[in-house]
Amino acid sequence: MAKVLVVTSGKGGVGKTTSTAALGVALARDGQNVVVVDFDVGLRNLDLVMGAERRVVYDVINVIQGVVKLPQALIRDKRIATLSLLAASQTRDKDALTEEGVAQVIAGLRERFDWIICDSPAGIERGATLAMRYADAAVVVTNPEVSSVRDSDRIIGLLDAKTEKAEKGERIEKHLLITRYEPSRVARAEMLSIDDVLEILSIPLIGIIPESEDVLRASNLGSPVTLSNPASAPARAYVDAARRLKGETIEMTVPADKKGLFDKLFRRRAA
Amino acid sequence: MNFFGFGRRRSSAPIARERLRILLEHERATAGQKDLMLVLREEILAVIGRHVAVDPEKVMVKVDRGSTMSTLEIDIEVPNVEMRLVPA
């Protein structure tokens, strides 16, 4: 049965789009039929992170307005056959995203895919609430930093109030994904620890993504980190998170890059 | 890039710069205009529609935008029964 997953956070810049792309690739490489959907109408970026920016013809608003049918707007990934993208529109009015329209698009996607991963815009306005509206599960992306944790708390409240599942009295599955985590700074008590964040937000942890230069490199290349460098620490963390989403039990660790002696001697000073 | 830089991967920033340059050039040029691809699709379909009945759902449009040129690929399923050319 298809599963609709919203990747959300409240705060901008914490890694929603990066995580949508990385999880989408990880699930698709695992043989799942996956579509990643950009809900950030007016400011789309998932196409760029997925490396498909030159190939966008139609978007989700075109589908809602009936200009094209859903299959015509889906962009098949050139590298992974089981992965597709549905882009957000770049120019059109935000109000073009309607509740009925989103319901219809999600229903159409449910017939075609195992996973529908919705990349939410930042904020708590219409775009964000519509992205989560029909979700079965949510990945709340949080940085170990005060404003991000606070905004995640707001979003968790919205998930429990504004989603269709919540309104029907059902529980929406919520998972915490901590990104940009730096163990060395936590050790020096400069950064909130995993336990601190978990204690405050009290939703189950799905993964811990370490801060890494590989993530920036991946968006530069337009190739999600789970595709461009699967052996890297963040990619392994995303793959583990994707497997947990599928229901597998995997021990929670913070993958680390193996560092050579030179790195240890010289790069610490530079950091 | 450190002193012991051998064996390090090619830097990714030049690729990012080039991707953005192509994308933004296109987006700035088309801001506020009707999407050329939508216009082309409508007009090409209208021309073909004068001769045969085409199911709009059997039309796939693909685009690849490049720096100096782009490609437009339109895949139309034309039913066999109507293949006779209607004299203009």
Side-chain angles (χ1 to χ4, degrees), chain A residues 34-259:
Chain A
V34 180
V35 62
V36 289
V37 186
D38 194 345
F39 272 83
D40 205 344
V41 171
L43 286 173
R44 74 170 177 227
N45 271 321
L46 185 57
D47 56 334
L48 197 50
V49 170
M50 294 290 293
E53 73 280 2
R54 291 160 59 159
R55 297 169 55 218
V56 176
V57 198
Y58 302 117
D59 55 58
V60 66
I61 301 293
N62 293 143
V63 178
I64 288 176
Q65 294 181 337
V67 175
V68 289
K69 297 288 174 186
L70 182 58
Q72 297 169 302
L74 294 171
I75 302 164
R76 290 277 292 272
D77 191 275
K78 285 192 167 170
R79 303 151 300 197
I80 305 168
T82 53
L83 181 61
S84 296
L85 163 74
L86 183 55
S89 67
Q90 182 68 320
T91 51
R92 266 163 281 251
D93 187 11
K94 262 191 184 149
D95 295 333
L97 207 60
T98 61
E99 193 169 321
E100 304 72 43
V102 172
Q104 180 201 321
V105 168
I106 297 285
L109 294 172
R110 276 186 191 272
E111 289 171 19
R112 291 175 173 83
F113 296 95
D114 303 317
W115 291 88
I116 297 128
I117 309 182
C118 306
D119 183 20
S120 172
I124 53 173
E125 302 303 319
R126 187 186 181 84
T129 51
L130 281 177
M132 68 170 66
R133 181 82 189 131
Y134 301 101
D136 302 308
V139 168
V140 179
V141 183
T142 305
N143 293 166
E145 177 270 324
V146 289
S147 57
S148 175
V149 174
R150 179 202 205 174
D151 290 358
S152 292
D153 191 62
R154 288 288 304 278
I155 281 292
I156 291 167
L158 283 182
L159 286 165
D160 286 331
K162 299 274 187 182
T163 53
E164 194 187 44
K165 266 203 139 137
E167 283 177 5
K168 282 199 274 183
E170 295 169 28
R171 284 187 70 82
I172 177 162
E173 250 179 70
K174 296 181 291 287
H175 305 283
L176 181 66
L177 183 69
I178 295 182
T179 56
R180 312 201 74 158
Y181 183 74
E182 295 177 65
S184 61
R185 300 188 69 186
V186 173
R188 294 196 298 270
E190 292 171 6
M191 182 179 261
L192 289 171
S193 71
I194 301 294
D195 286 343
D196 293 336
V197 180
L198 280 175
E199 195 188 309
I200 297 163
L201 295 178
S202 54
I203 61 171
L205 187 62
I206 196 80
I208 305 161
I209 315 299
E211 172 74 40
S212 164
E213 61 185 43
D214 288 296
V215 174
L216 174 61
R217 184 182 153 79
S219 61
N220 279 347
L221 297 176
S223 176
V225 72
T226 35
L227 183 66
S228 56
N229 191 1
S232 67
R236 285 182 283 139
Y238 275 119
V239 167
D240 282 355
R243 291 174 62 188
R244 290 185 196 107
L245 282 173
K246 282 177 63 196
E248 292 179 38
T249 308
I250 295 163
E251 197 201 342
M252 188 67 69
T253 58
V254 186
D257 283 315
K258 291 171 191 74
K259 283 190 176 153

Side-chain angles (χ1 to χ4, degrees), chain B residues 48-62:
Chain B
I48 293 169
R50 287 213 296 267
H51 300 285
V52 290
V54 174
D55 179 353
E57 290 187 35
K58 301 287 170 62
V59 180
M60 296 302 284
V61 181
K62 282 185 187 169

